[in-house]
Amino acid sequence: MLEGAELYFNVDHGYLEGLVRGCKAGLLTERDYVNLVQCETLEDLKIHLQTTDYGNFLANQTNPLTVSKIDTEMRKKLCSEFEYFRNHSLEPLSTFFTYMTCSYMIDNVILLMNGALQKKSVKEILVKCHPLGRFTEMEAVNIAETPSDLFNAVLIETPLAPFFQDCMSENILDELNIELLRNKLYKSYLEAFYKFCKNHGDVTAEIMCPILEFEADRRAFIITLNSFGTELSKEERETLFPTCGKLHPEGLRLLAQAEDFEQMKRVAEHYGVYKPLFEAVGDGSGGKTLEDVFYEHEVQMNVLAFNRQFHYGVFYAYTKLKEQEMRNIVWIAECISQRHRTKINNYIPIL
Amino acid sequence: MGSLFRSETMCLAQLFLQSGTAYECLSALGEKGLVQFRDLNQNVSSFQRKFVGEVKRCEELERILAYLVQEITRADIPLPEGDASPPAPPLKQVLEMQEQLQKLEVELREVTKNKEKLRKNLLELIEYTHMLRVTRTFVKRNVEFEPTYEEFPALENDSLLDYSSMQRLGAKLGFVSGLISQGKVEAFEKMLWRVCKGYTILTYAELDEPLEDPETGEVIKWYVFLISFWGEQIGYKVKKICDCYHCHIYPYPNTAEERREIQEGLNTRIQDLYTVLHKTEDYLRQVLCKAAESVYSRVIQVKKMKAIYHMLNMCSFDVTNKCLIAEVWCPEADLHALRCALEEGSRESGATIPSFMNIIPTKETPPTLIRTNKFTEGFQNIVDAYGVGSYREVNPALFTIVTFPFLFAVMFGDFGHGFVMFLFALLLVLNENHPRLSQSQEIMRMFFNGRYILLLMGLFSVYTGLIYNDCFSKSVNLFGSGWNVSAMYGAAHAPSERKKMVLWNDSVVRHNRVLQLDPSIPGVFRGPYPLGIDPIWNLATNRLTFLNSFKMKMSVILGIIHMTFGVILGIFNHLHFRKKFNIYLVSIPELLFMLCIFGHLIFMIVYKWLLYSAETSRVAPSILIEFINMFLFPTSETNGLYPGQEHVQRLLLVVTALSVPVLFLGKPLFLLWLHNGRSCFGVSRSGYTLVRKDSEEEVSLLGSQDIEEGNHQMEDGCREVTCEEFNFGEILMTQVIHSIEYCLGCISNTASYLRLWALSLAHAHSEKLAPSEEDDGEEETDS
């Protein structure tokens, strides 16, 4: 696309941008969270959610209410909104939407393969799959025994196909290999998405690139953290890191050598963005976990995305914010239903 | 009463409802629609309120009712709609009703579930028969197209195979057959090929008739397929793929014998299922019909009940918990009815202590209530679309009743069209009780709601049409034109006078395409037409020039009068709210500003009309030039309309220029002076908010009551009157914005009123061009 999206962005995408901004205004506010935290039962939660933009999305649920019912209904709502956006979108926004769904598709594929490994029935796992990442071929995933099988038989016609270039192998799919597959897929997915946004240029690139860079770096940190004490070799670890982040290339090389959390923290200290994040992490007892800190940073970036106009980032940001909100509600609902109120305030407020 | 001139006087009343009878009392109040409740529990979140349980129960009932309605409409049973709206159910009946509804729901769910199950079963069986029918032809065809089987070495010797001989080749040859929906066939085939690498043969054919999907109930096209495969591993994969594409798989009969048996069995089962299904459906229909009778009134009852509990949630409990306290706004005129309703409610519930009310003084601004009837409603709606006035402000709707149709008529002046419109509106008005009208479609309903507006617009159009002398864009000569053509010929005049005049003779008439009547010749113009515009203008070529000048000036005059009237209405407001300084500091400068510029313009227009006659019209100055010169101070001397015009205009300009700073700064500075000087001058009653005569008394009363009721009053935060902080900057800002808006508005609105002329022109013009475009013109002027 040419420079100067301001001139003709609205011709194609103005309606959807207006819509997504309206939807964003419906996100729960601080006050709502304060009220939600005070709820005694899930019924109370439901009543309070009825006064927000969720409306009576739980009205047709028969008693008793469970957390998973709330979760499913919320996901359905998000999904219907997303489908609406997607059905009304034009190129290249529709490609952007496809890229957005890819991450959920990867998760679903991996979930199904794990399920097959544990000999669970497909139907059981299908319920757990994220509705945004649903595709027809998905259910046939467990036919495949090796990644190349998977690619050739099942995924060749899905949007996931291009991400398979790096992970064609004849390895048997065991738990470790599946995890490796996930990370490799994710790596090439993020890189492709990053490239797409970069090529698109304009405000979209200015907004989306930092978000995706952060996403890539977050994955690198998390992979490193999770690989401590496993049989994953350092060279292999490095191949899993997405290379489109700020850490690339020196930071990633250092991360690959890291052996414990302290070393990881030292790597992060070289970067102005990540230093404060790691400093915010509490030690062991109490304080925030690294995950929460990352989530908070993500929320902040997504909220800031709404300050600019004429770009696709708002759609990404909205979906992510909504997901965070759903995580918050589920967290609060879980705390309520398990009568575990001490940690109920550990949700991540959306500014 | 003047209730349309100002909104109703309201008072804040406190209702003490005995907790046993609160429900009945509110029901009685609700039926009458007398009061507006204030939320006394604003700080309490919605799920912590007192009657949450009851609201939840209502929601549960609503859910059941919605389910019932859904089932009833699905069964195509007409929902009877009662006209009367039943009152909220008495508390005793609620439980009974809930029980009934729950029982009904359980029964209904059971029956529907059974029905669905039977139906699904039936559909599957039907699918199976179709599959059997179609696959039989597959096998035959397979035999005909030999080459597909040649690849298998075992088959080579025995090439002409029928199905049973294939059986002999070993158990490894397997079949999977079933149905797949049309859209998925292609992807299914591709995946099958990719996964099984050609070790399968897929044959498929389209079913002629679309079938219902047993799972979703959608009617779609299906394909019947038959997959033949070798080997168990492949079979396992094939089944997986079938699952993935949601195929309906049915066992494939191995022999022709078996096939026939299955077919027969299926046929009898389908017959059986049909009869059972019919019986179930009949029963279901009965149940639904019974439910349909009461469902409409139930829905309304539950809605009312829910509304009552919502209101009760807004009440606060008194200390002893025996009494609910509600605060309501009620028009003073309705206080008696309110008392009666409370009594009635208490009596109905048989309470020992009646509920009662008392009026509490307040300094808060009450809500605006303007009572309307069917005539004024439409006009009030137009006004409300721009904004609802605050309490006791002058309500412009009263004047809109005249001005709105009149301004419309100025644009739509044609008494033929106006009369048609009037008749249409009259038809609506006379038949307003017809049920079809009030429930009609969107556009028709718009007309129906505005029927009185249309009626008046039609009437006024008839009037302006008469003035414009326009009937279906033709003039009507009722009284005989005031112009006389024959007087233009020389014969009519004495010879002595002829020399001075330019008269017509044969050669003039023959050689000129356009002839001009000269009113200065005696006898040509015999005085104005008695009503409206002389019909002779309809024939004139300079008709448009004449009408334009007339309509343009008229629009400006009407516009200025209209705007001045608006400012004068503001004075009524200031008088009523006892803010005299606003009159001197806002209204009068505003009037001066407008009248000194545009008032003078009007004066010039009228003066010119009166002063210049046909003889002197050639020396008449242009008003436009005069008006422009008023601001430009031209150096060259012009001959004005009247002697000393220059000085008068200078004076007017000075007044205008002086009124602007007054308008900008007067009110803020005065308020500042009041604020600072309050202590020394003892001006204690200059409150900016509405202050009543006995306000001080009341305030002290309010205070003492607060002390009496102690902690209770402290709790509700909404009672505290937010006393206005004096903020000079803010007042100045508001006033400056207001003034700028006013000054610019004066100019731009005057220009806007020219639209009256423009649209009137457009209306007349479009009529002339194409009568069929009439409707468009109407729409345009309407909007």
Side-chain angles (χ1 to χ4, degrees), chain B residues 69-78 115 284-285 288:
Chain B
V69 170
Q70 180 201 329
E71 288 296 319
I72 289 169
T73 42
R74 203 160 68 177
D76 264 339
I77 299 170
K115 196 191 102 180
L284 186 69
R285 215 178 157 74
L288 285 175

Side-chain angles (χ1 to χ4, degrees), chain B residues 146-161:
Chain B
E146 190 55 29
T148 35
Y149 280 91
E150 265 182 347
E151 291 169 25
F152 302 108
L155 298 179
E156 263 174 3
N157 322 337
D158 202 347
S159 56
L160 268 173
L161 292 166

Side-chain angles (χ1 to χ4, degrees), chain A residues 35 47 59 152-153 156-157, chain B residues 47 56 63 190 194 244 246:
Chain A
N35 278 328
I47 289 177
N152 286 329
I156 192 162
E157 279 183 4
Chain B
F47 54 86
K56 253 188 233 170
R63 189 184 60 77
K190 270 189 195 164
R194 281 200 305 263
C244 160
H246 300 281

Side-chain angles (χ1 to χ4, degrees), chain B residues 459-520:
Chain B
L459 269 183
F460 277 92
S461 299
V462 170
Y463 168 72
T464 49
L466 282 174
I467 297 291
Y468 293 166
N469 206 342
D470 239 357
C471 174
F472 299 115
S473 79
K474 289 275 173 282
S475 297
V476 181
N477 194 354
L478 285 179
F479 306 104
S481 171
W483 294 76
N484 187 0
V485 178
S486 61
M488 284 305 288
Y489 289 94
H493 299 279
S496 58
E497 291 168 338
R498 280 187 209 164
K499 286 169 202 155
K500 285 182 270 175
M501 301 181 262
V502 187
L503 291 178
W504 295 354
N505 51 38
D506 275 354
S507 70
V508 173
V509 172
R510 200 165 295 144
H511 295 298
N512 288 332
R513 295 196 54 195
V514 182
L515 294 165
Q516 196 171 12
L517 291 169
D518 187 354
S520 56

Side-chain angles (χ1 to χ4, degrees), chain B residues 486-629:
Chain B
S486 61
M488 284 305 288
Y489 289 94
H493 299 279
S496 58
E497 291 168 338
R498 280 187 209 164
K499 286 169 202 155
K500 285 182 270 175
M501 301 181 262
V502 187
L503 291 178
W504 295 354
N505 51 38
D506 275 354
S507 70
V508 173
V509 172
R510 200 165 295 144
H511 295 298
N512 288 332
R513 295 196 54 195
V514 182
L515 294 165
Q516 196 171 12
L517 291 169
D518 187 354
S520 56
I521 297 170
V524 172
F525 183 62
R526 293 177 308 204
Y529 194 69
L531 178 69
I533 284 167
D534 200 308
I536 199 167
W537 285 106
N538 200 33
L539 307 170
T541 44
N542 60 345
R543 170 176 192 255
L544 217 52
T545 327
F546 168 71
L547 282 183
N548 276 353
S549 144
F550 163 69
K551 284 181 177 172
M552 188 161 39
K553 285 167 182 164
M554 183 193 65
S555 308
V556 171
I557 294 175
L558 286 178
I560 303 291
I561 292 175
H562 196 191
M563 286 192 289
T564 316
F565 180 65
V567 179
I568 290 172
L569 281 189
I571 296 183
F572 280 98
N573 271 341
H574 300 320
L575 282 177
H576 183 264
F577 292 126
R578 294 165 190 285
K579 285 188 281 189
K580 278 228 177 71
F581 63 90
N582 265 349
I583 300 176
Y584 302 121
L585 295 173
V586 179
S587 296
I588 288 185
E590 277 179 354
L591 276 179
L592 282 177
F593 180 84
M594 173 124 73
L595 292 180
C596 285
I597 300 180
F598 296 105
H600 183 244
L601 177 67
I602 292 181
F603 166 76
M604 285 197 293
I605 292 172
V606 177
Y607 187 80
K608 186 178 163 187
W609 274 343
L610 293 177
L611 192 71
Y612 291 91
S613 67
E615 287 83 11
T616 53
S617 65
R618 297 209 180 274
V619 294
S622 156
I623 288 182
L624 185 65
I625 302 292
E626 292 296 319
F627 190 57
I628 291 172
N629 282 347

Side-chain angles (χ1 to χ4, degrees), chain B residues 671-681 726:
Chain B
L671 285 177
L672 185 69
W673 173 74
L674 268 190
H675 180 72
N676 291 341
R678 182 172 280 174
S679 50
C680 23
F681 292 102
F726 184 81

Side-chain angles (χ1 to χ4, degrees), chain B residues 51-93:
Chain B
F51 294 93
V52 162
E54 281 81 354
V55 172
K56 253 188 233 170
R57 189 163 69 186
C58 292
E59 267 164 11
E60 172 72 12
L61 289 180
E62 271 184 340
R63 189 184 60 77
I64 297 176
L65 283 170
Y67 172 71
L68 284 182
V69 170
Q70 180 201 329
E71 288 296 319
I72 289 169
T73 42
R74 203 160 68 177
D76 264 339
I77 299 170
L79 268 178
E81 290 195 5
D83 287 331
S85 86
L91 279 177
K92 293 166 219 153
Q93 279 179 29

Side-chain angles (χ1 to χ4, degrees), chain B residues 641-684:
Chain B
L641 282 165
Y642 51 90
Q645 188 193 5
E646 213 175 309
H647 303 292
V648 173
Q649 283 182 345
R650 290 263 160 85
L651 179 70
L652 289 177
L653 265 189
V654 169
V655 173
T656 313
L658 284 180
S659 63
V660 171
V662 176
L663 198 55
F664 271 71
L665 297 172
K667 184 173 155 186
L669 287 180
F670 179 74
L671 285 177
L672 185 69
W673 173 74
L674 268 190
H675 180 72
N676 291 341
R678 182 172 280 174
S679 50
C680 23
F681 292 102
V683 191
S684 56

